């Protein structure tokens, strides 16, 4: 029976990063993975979707060639080739994880894990059952797409994100159920390539976790691109026939029938908590997620849970950071608890959306007296030069202390820009440091500066 300091169950961006940090700290480490090194993120999530969206972005720019004084008359796309590139990118990164495991002398066991008892994990492999002993166990089993009764995916007419990443065909008339990051990214991709796209959202606005002003701005841009958006609406039923789906959509108290050839269901995720032996160990599960403390402890000594299985925010970078924190805690180092409100969320639709910290509504709800600044792309030289005059950056400050409470962006490359504000929040910055920072010109980042200046009545360029 092999014995370890740390057993990591799951090799996604939480698990493999936890394993690497544990190994760096001199802990003997093993990772158990049932499917793919790199998990959903590298194989079927973050990475391949960005590769698809990059193809759509280039195609969109080709359509606009004339605006830039260019000619590109005979252009089109080959969906199979677009998908092939996406898979190649995913595979390259996933194989990179295998290399990192070897480099850091981490054992990898491919199979299905179960915690048989405290400090003991059994793994069903192709060769039979293997037993591992470990002083510490890190659960990093991730999550999967939520399936609603009657709206289940079949891979033909109704797809999950996995089917959408390797589509059997190009949709002509597409229904996307759910307008969170996954739903909007796929809506953006297929709409850009010519699908007649409708998005149905049960809540009162698209991208419901974002600041309301940003959601409204993004919605206008999506509608300009031809996406139909139905808010406060619900898909009650899907009637499937050969080559078509009739969706019964309830909106404003009435049910209407709409016909589509493809449906993508993006209605959230559920944690992979089954068949792990968690209940027997006394680990609490709440709505398919493991209940953890601020240091990812499960309440059972030596057992931790990180990433999607440990609840919101469901973000790869949150999982990775938790993995590092837990590995360091196990190694006896002093660690800082992760503050969810200082983790950025990014959506790679067109235009991109990114945010960190509190929305305006949340800041008010928490009792803050606030100062709010805004700056739009139309006043930024780089945005105009790029041909991207549509965008908005919004910053929220505590009026009493000047603390940066939140930042919310919609527009080109905001998923890269947001990190400036993330660092600001980590350093507990106030408006004074941000105002005194010299931002390079001409860059999109100058809009970040102007938004801060606006909150304090000092905006220059609008």
């Amino acid at each position: 029976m092999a014995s370890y300091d740390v057993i990591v169950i799951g090799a996604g961006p939480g698990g493999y990063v936890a394993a690497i940090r544990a190994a760096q700290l001199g802990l003997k480490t093993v990772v158990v993975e049932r499917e793919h090194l790199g998990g959903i993120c590298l194989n079927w999530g973050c990475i391949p979707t960005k590769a698809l969206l990059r193809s759509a972005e280039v195609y969109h720019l080709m359509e606009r060639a004339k605006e830039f004084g260019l000619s590109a008359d005979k252009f089109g796309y080959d969906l199979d080739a677009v998908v092939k590139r996406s898979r190649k990118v995913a595979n390259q990164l996933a194989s990179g994880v295998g290399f990192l495991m070897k480099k850091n002398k981490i054992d990898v066991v491919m199979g299905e894990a179960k915690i048989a008892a405290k400090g003991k994990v059994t793994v069903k492999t192709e060769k039979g059952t293997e037993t591992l002993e470990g002083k510490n166990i890190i659960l990093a089993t991730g999550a999967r797409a939520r399936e609603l009764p009657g709206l289940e995916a079949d891979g033909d007419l109704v797809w999950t994100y996995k089917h959408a990443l390797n589509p059997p065909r190009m949709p002509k008339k597409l229904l996307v159920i759910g307008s969170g990051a996954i739903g909007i990214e796929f809506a953006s991709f297929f709409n850009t390539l010519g699908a007649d796209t409708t998005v149905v959202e049960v809540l009162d606005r698209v991208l419901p976790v974002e600041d309301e002003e940003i959601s409204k701005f993004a919605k206008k841009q999506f509608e300009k691109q031809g996406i139909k958006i139905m808010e406060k609406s619900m898909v009650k039923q899907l009637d499937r026939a050969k080559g078509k789906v009739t969706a019964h959509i309830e909106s404003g108290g009435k049910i209407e029938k709409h016909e589509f050839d493809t449906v993508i269901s993006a209605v959230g995720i559920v944690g992979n908590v089954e068949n792990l032996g968690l209940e027997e160990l006394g680990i609490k599960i709440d709505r398919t997620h493991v209940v953890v403390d601020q240091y990812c402890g499960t309440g059972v000594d030596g057992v931790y849970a990180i990433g999607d299985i440990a609840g919101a925010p469901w973000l790869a970078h949150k999982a990775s950071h938790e993995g590092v924190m837990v590995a360091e805690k196990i190694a006896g180092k002093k660690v800082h608890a992760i503050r969810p409100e200082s983790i950025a969320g990014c959506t790679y639709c067109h235009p991109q959306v990114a945010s960190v910290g509190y929305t305006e509504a949340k800041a008010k709800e928490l009792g803050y007296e606030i100062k709010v600044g805004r700056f739009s792309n139309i006043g930024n030289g780089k945005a105009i030069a790029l041909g991207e005059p549509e965008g908005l950056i919004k910053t929220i400050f505590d009026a009493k202390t000047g603390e940066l409470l939140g930042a919310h962006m919609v527009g080109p490359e905001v998923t890269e820009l947001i990190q400036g504000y993330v660092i600001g929040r980590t350093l507990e910055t106030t408006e004074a440091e941000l105002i005194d920072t010299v931002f390079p010109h001409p860059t999109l980042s100058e809009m970040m500066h102007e938004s801060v200046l606006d909150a304090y009545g000092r905006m220059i360029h609008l």
Side-chain angles (χ1 to χ4, degrees):
M1 190 189 297
S3 190
Y4 296 90
D5 296 312
V6 180
I7 300 171
V8 182
I9 302 175
Y16 87 74
V17 169
I20 290 171
R21 187 65 188 124
Q24 286 174 346
L25 292 164
L27 301 167
K28 192 182 178 197
T29 305
V30 61
V31 170
V32 182
E33 170 56 47
R34 70 178 179 186
E35 208 171 352
H36 306 286
L37 293 177
I40 293 294
C41 178
L42 264 63
N43 293 279
W44 294 104
C46 329
I47 301 302
T49 51
K50 302 317 156 272
L52 289 184
L53 286 157
R54 175 64 171 160
S55 292
E57 182 186 15
V58 173
Y59 184 73
H60 171 70
L61 287 169
M62 287 162 76
E63 288 182 310
R64 294 177 58 196
K66 209 170 178 182
E67 282 178 47
F68 296 92
L70 306 171
S71 66
D73 297 331
K74 290 182 181 173
F75 65 89
Y77 65 85
D78 174 346
L79 185 61
D80 288 343
V82 168
V83 170
K84 193 177 175 185
R85 176 182 180 271
S86 161
R87 299 314 312 151
K88 190 179 172 189
V89 169
N91 293 338
Q92 181 183 333
L93 285 161
S95 63
V97 175
F99 163 77
L100 289 170
M101 296 295 100
K102 281 186 186 133
K103 181 189 164 193
N104 288 283
K105 299 181 174 57
I106 296 162
D107 290 345
V108 176
V109 178
M110 297 303 290
E112 203 151 317
K114 182 173 183 173
I115 305 174
K118 203 170 158 191
K120 195 172 280 186
V121 173
T122 57
V123 187
K124 269 190 204 166
T125 70
E126 284 179 357
K127 294 173 185 172
T129 301
E130 200 173 319
T131 304
L132 310 172
E133 268 188 350
K135 293 173 197 157
N136 299 280
I137 296 166
I138 302 175
L139 294 163
T141 53
R144 61 187 183 276
R146 183 185 296 280
E147 298 249 44
L148 296 179
L151 313 183
E152 294 92 350
D154 52 40
D156 174 23
L157 298 169
V158 183
W159 301 349
T160 64
Y161 63 86
K162 267 196 179 182
H163 305 119
L165 277 167
N166 205 350
R169 65 178 177 279
M170 175 65 197
K172 289 187 179 71
K173 200 152 185 253
L174 171 67
L175 169 64
V176 177
I177 308 173
S179 76
I182 294 169
I184 283 293
E185 284 182 1
F186 280 121
S188 197
F189 172 72
F190 286 112
N191 185 72
T192 301
L193 295 188
D196 177 355
T197 305
T198 300
V199 175
V200 170
E201 171 56 55
V202 70
L203 296 174
D204 62 352
R205 57 195 169 89
V206 291
L207 295 168
V209 301
E210 300 297 338
D211 185 88
E212 191 171 351
E213 207 172 327
I214 299 298
S215 289
K216 283 179 177 169
F217 189 103
K219 180 189 175 184
K220 269 189 196 163
Q221 300 309 310
F222 300 150
E223 288 179 331
K224 267 190 200 172
Q225 294 159 28
I227 297 175
K228 292 176 207 67
I229 291 176
M230 300 177 71
E231 294 160 329
K232 290 199 265 191
S233 302
M234 187 185 282
V235 179
K236 304 293 281 184
Q237 187 180 326
L238 295 175
D239 297 337
R240 307 170 204 224
K242 193 169 169 36
K244 69 172 187 181
V245 181
T246 303
H248 299 241
I249 303 173
E250 187 182 304
S251 194
K254 280 187 269 178
I255 292 181
E256 289 181 2
K257 293 181 186 179
H258 299 263
E259 208 170 276
F260 301 91
D261 62 49
T262 310
V263 177
I264 295 175
S265 177
V267 289
I269 60 171
V270 291
N272 293 322
V273 292
E274 301 87 354
N275 308 316
L276 286 165
L278 304 186
E279 294 89 343
E280 295 89 330
L281 218 60
I283 290 172
K284 283 190 192 130
I285 294 165
D286 177 30
R287 287 166 293 179
T288 80
H289 294 92
V290 173
V291 178
V292 294
D293 62 24
Q294 60 181 337
Y295 298 107
C296 297
T298 62
V300 173
D301 194 35
V303 182
Y304 302 85
I306 63 172
D308 286 356
I309 193 182
W314 296 288
L315 301 164
H317 43 289
K318 172 250 197 189
S320 297
H321 208 81
E322 285 178 338
V324 169
M325 177 187 74
V326 168
E328 292 184 349
K329 191 171 189 303
I330 289 167
K333 296 203 169 288
K334 189 180 176 192
V335 296
H336 296 284
I338 292 161
R339 294 191 302 157
E341 67 275 11
S342 288
I343 299 171
C346 297
T347 307
Y348 298 79
C349 43
H350 181 77
Q352 292 181 6
V353 176
S355 59
V356 67
Y358 301 127
T359 63
E360 184 177 349
K362 185 68 179 173
K364 285 176 179 170
E365 185 194 310
L366 291 169
Y368 287 102
E369 190 186 321
I370 59 173
K371 283 183 182 284
V372 180
R374 297 169 182 83
F375 195 80
S376 60
N377 285 33
I378 201 72
N380 178 263
K382 178 73 181 290
I384 303 300
L386 287 173
E388 300 281 1
E390 302 287 353
L392 174 69
I393 293 181
K394 176 177 178 177
T395 44
I396 301 159
F397 293 89
D398 181 341
K400 290 177 183 164
T401 66
E403 180 191 354
L404 174 66
L405 295 175
H408 308 275
M409 307 167 144
V410 54
E413 298 307 327
V414 295
T415 56
E416 296 291 340
L417 295 178
I418 193 66
Q419 184 59 12
Y421 288 134
V422 175
I423 292 168
R425 275 190 59 78
T426 302
L427 295 174
E428 298 180 350
T429 195
T430 68
E431 94 290 349
E433 289 84 17
L434 291 168
I435 287 172
D436 286 345
T437 300
V438 181
F439 284 71
H441 173 78
T443 63
L444 297 171
S445 70
E446 290 174 278
M447 294 189 286
M448 298 166 65
H449 194 214
E450 291 273 13
S451 178
V452 175
L453 291 170
D454 180 50
Y456 289 84
R458 293 178 52 179
M459 180 168 56
I460 305 288
H461 286 102
L462 265 182

